[in-house]
Amino acid sequence: MLQSIAEFLKEYGAWGLIIHSFIDAIIFPIPAFFTQVSLSLVNPEDALWLATVGYIACLLGTPFGYLIGRILGKAILYRILKQQWMDAATKLFQKNGEAAILIGAFTPIPFKVFTILSGFLNFPLWKLLAYAALGRAVKFYVVGVLFHLFGQAAEGMVQEVSLYLSVIVAPLLVLGVFLKRRYDKRNSRQAAEGVQQQETVEQAHAAANQTMD
């Protein structure tokens, strides 16, 4: 039935991809990637346009997936999603929520799992949207650019490039998040030390003034 729905959506071209991308971020288990590739294969000249509308629709659907997670809770999620998806995504979130979202943009785990888990785990919605915007942009536009440049010949490249993204780009993005967090923590620590030093100086001055009095 789900495959029939996906095939049905393809018949409506860009509008079908918009709908598929939107529900892909909410609950539909078949990734919009397959519809995007199929439509780009038929009309490579529209590949970048398809990437754009699919990307925007995915981001628009993300808050709704988040809301489902807030309302339904994890117990319900295990009934409607595969347990291995939930278990893997939960472990990633427990280690680093930002990295989990970025990894989720490239791994076979459907992205909706991360949007729903973000809501359940009270991960900030603005962070979910920010990291989803980065990760999903890469996912959609890699396909769009390949078909735009190479036409139908890109069909064989997509899977290989997706593999390289999973192996190379995703870890680099995660490393970037890790380094940024360390940089922010160092700045926060230095700021705290600066405030403490200022307080120490002020206390010393106050003590000196009392002595003089």
Side-chain angles (χ1 to χ4, degrees):
M1 181 185 69
L2 295 173
Q3 186 61 43
S4 298
I5 294 174
E7 293 293 335
F8 173 76
L9 291 173
K10 292 178 187 177
E11 299 296 325
Y12 290 88
W15 282 107
L17 177 59
I18 289 172
I19 296 172
H20 194 164
S21 299
F22 183 82
I23 61 178
D24 177 27
I26 302 173
I27 198 65
F28 196 62
I30 299 178
F33 168 83
F34 297 105
T35 297
Q36 182 191 5
V37 170
S38 297
L39 294 176
S40 299
L41 183 62
V42 175
N43 297 303
E45 64 276 9
D46 296 334
L48 290 178
W49 166 246
L50 292 169
T52 299
V53 297
Y55 171 64
I56 293 174
C58 177
L59 292 185
L60 291 176
T62 297
F64 290 91
Y66 182 89
L67 184 61
I68 288 177
R70 291 293 298 269
I71 295 174
L72 297 182
K74 194 172 183 178
I76 301 297
L77 299 183
Y78 272 108
R79 297 181 182 179
I80 60 177
L81 297 173
K82 291 184 179 181
Q83 182 171 345
Q84 59 266 35
W85 292 347
M86 293 295 297
D87 291 343
T90 300
K91 289 179 181 178
L92 287 173
F93 257 101
Q94 289 173 344
K95 292 180 179 179
N96 190 320
E98 293 92 340
I101 295 170
L102 288 174
I103 293 173
F106 302 99
T107 63
I109 302 173
F111 190 65
K112 65 193 67 59
V113 176
F114 295 92
T115 63
I116 294 173
L117 266 180
S118 295
F120 171 74
L121 297 175
N122 293 317
F123 188 77
L125 178 58
W126 72 268
K127 282 190 176 183
L128 170 64
L129 290 172
Y131 286 103
L134 175 61
R136 300 307 279 176
V138 176
K139 187 74 170 181
F140 276 96
Y141 279 101
V142 161
V143 175
V145 170
L146 284 175
F147 276 100
H148 178 74
L149 294 177
F150 301 104
Q152 294 181 339
E155 182 182 13
M157 306 176 187
V158 170
Q159 293 296 336
E160 293 183 7
V161 172
S162 296
L163 176 61
Y164 292 142
L165 286 174
S166 300
V167 174
I168 299 174
V169 177
L172 288 176
L173 289 174
V174 173
L175 178 62
V177 171
F178 173 75
L179 293 176
K180 181 180 182 300
R181 292 186 68 182
R182 288 197 60 181
Y183 177 78
D184 291 341
K185 287 181 179 179
R186 185 182 66 180
N187 286 345
S188 298
R189 185 172 60 251
Q190 289 177 347
E193 291 174 353
V195 171
Q196 186 176 8
Q197 290 176 357
Q198 182 65 28
E199 291 177 349
T200 301
V201 171
E202 291 177 354
Q203 290 173 359
H205 286 165
N209 291 335
Q210 290 177 356
T211 303
M212 292 176 62
D213 294 340

